[in-house]
Amino acid sequence: MTTVAVLGTGLMGAGMARSLARAGLRVRVWNRTAQRARALAGDGIEAVEDPRAAVQGADVVVTMLFDADAVEQVMGPVLETLDPRAVWAQCATVGIEATEHLARVAESRGVAFVDAPVLGTRAPAENGQLIVVAGGPPAARERVAEVFDAIGSRTVWVGERPGDGHRLKLTLNAWVLSVTAATAQSVGLARRLGVEPRLFLETIAGGPTDCAYAQLKGAAMIAGDFAPSFTLAGATKDAALIERATSDAGGEARLMGALRGCFEAATRDAGDPAELDMAAVVRAFA
Ligand SMILES: NC(=O)c1ccc[n+]([C@@H]2O[C@H](COP(=O)([O-])OP(=O)(O)OC[C@H]3O[C@@H](n4cnc5c(N)ncnc54)[C@H](OP(=O)(O)O)[C@@H]3O)[C@@H](O)[C@H]2O)c1
């Protein structure tokens, strides 16, 4: 039976661990705040208190931590203990440059590395309906297929270079963040102009300018329901990663810079950005 270690059981890692267990894989979870991992124990999931204990003997190690620093802090010290046949599937959104760096670190310790960020938020993670956008050597693909099939409805292999998964992931998140901030702008503008913001969503509904994500996030913005699915902290991080990747590629980064500014402004006004959904960006337009 395949053993999978999941390091990081936040909003996404918890759902991914449950999807893996539901698919019949043996799952070990570790989280910095141990209580969040312990809450998952049972039904095919073992919670451990040390990342070393999680990765020992695992066939696949999944990292789903907040950012590149967290991934390197956790994985750096345990890489040597990985089984020589194990594959590290790095699923957190860390950016292209950091992915290339992490791949070099893995290679220097003889560990196979797959760049595997995901599209989809908390509910798809719980339901095994994420889309995995992966980059990595063909030799490693078969070894992670069972894991990706358990957490996702589809895997898109973008290329063989580490960073190829992230190249598509940042492209996708540029769209997701743009739609979210644009929805917030229209909700805020409607309010400022004395129009009921629900009329904005009702008027676009079903037409060519409609968008399921605008309806979802717009309804949350109007209701002031910011229970986290994709946190404001994550959106702010990703906007900065996309802005940087755009500039590094010689592209026009002003729009993403403006979006980052909106997410940062909401963060300043919002309380703890790790506890609020990115729909709280509407506060930047209040
Ligand atoms: N939510 C989404 O919709 C979504 C979708 C696709 C991709 N992603 C990406 O997936 C990753 C995880 O997102 P999430 O939504 O699950 O975030 P989250 O709920 O905020 O969880 C973050 C996780 O990272 C851990 N962590 C943070 N800093 C750490 C450090 N220095 N050392 C060790 N652990 C650390 C946290 O541990 P504690 O519990 O101890 O704080 C927690 O397990 C991020 O890269 C995010 O951008 C998220």
Side-chain angles (χ1 to χ4, degrees):
M1 187 193 277
T2 302
T3 299
V4 188
V6 178
L7 306 182
T9 57
L11 286 171
M12 297 296 287
M16 290 160 71
R18 278 192 279 254
S19 294
L20 289 161
R22 215 171 38 246
L25 284 77
R26 187 186 295 126
V27 183
R28 274 193 227 128
V29 292
W30 170 86
N31 195 63
R32 177 181 62 177
T33 306
Q35 186 46 40
R36 284 178 106 176
R38 278 190 219 122
L40 297 171
D43 291 335
I45 302 180
E46 181 193 359
V48 296
E49 306 275 317
D50 180 345
R52 208 172 287 267
V55 304
Q56 221 138 40
D59 300 289
V60 178
V61 176
V62 170
T63 43
M64 203 49 175
L65 301 152
F66 181 67
D67 62 6
D69 287 348
V71 172
E72 189 159 14
Q73 278 165 26
V74 172
M75 275 304 276
V78 303
L79 272 173
E80 251 115 44
T81 56
L82 259 64
D83 188 278
R85 282 195 42 78
V87 181
W88 172 12
Q90 201 308 102
C91 294
T93 308
V94 300
I96 298 165
E97 202 181 346
T99 298
E100 290 168 348
H101 169 69
L102 292 171
R104 281 193 298 274
V105 172
E107 192 183 9
S108 71
R109 318 273 180 93
V111 173
F113 179 90
V114 174
D115 166 29
V118 298
L119 179 67
T121 58
R122 182 184 198 157
E126 287 288 348
N127 300 331
Q129 294 290 312
L130 296 167
I131 298 175
V132 183
V133 289
R141 294 184 186 184
E142 211 176 300
R143 286 149 68 194
V144 290
E146 202 181 357
V147 168
F148 292 177
D149 288 349
I151 62 172
S153 57
R154 193 148 59 101
T155 299
V156 179
W157 283 100
V158 185
E160 296 183 10
R161 291 174 299 173
D164 283 343
H166 264 82
R167 288 181 174 87
L168 179 56
K169 171 62 184 170
L170 296 187
T171 305
L172 295 164
N173 271 24
W175 169 243
V176 169
L177 299 185
S178 301
V179 170
T180 303
T183 303
Q185 174 177 254
S186 284
V187 168
L189 180 62
R191 281 179 173 148
R192 194 161 285 279
L193 299 179
V195 173
E196 266 292 320
R198 69 175 170 76
L199 286 177
F200 150 55
L201 295 178
E202 285 174 14
T203 308
I204 62 169
T209 58
D210 197 7
C211 166
Y213 213 66
Q215 295 289 347
L216 180 78
K217 292 297 178 191
M221 289 170 193
I222 292 167
D225 174 5
F226 303 132
S229 181
F230 181 177
T231 65
L232 194 51
T236 309
K237 163 183 69 79
D238 288 0
L241 291 174
I242 296 163
E243 189 182 1
R244 168 89 187 268
T246 307
S247 299
D248 287 353
E252 172 54 80
R254 274 179 290 192
L255 178 56
M256 192 48 65
L259 293 180
R260 178 179 50 73
C262 294
F263 286 111
E264 282 173 354
T267 298
R268 280 192 293 276
D269 296 346
D272 185 352
E275 299 291 332
L276 290 166
D277 192 75
M278 66 171 164
V281 70
V282 72
R283 292 185 177 165
F285 298 93

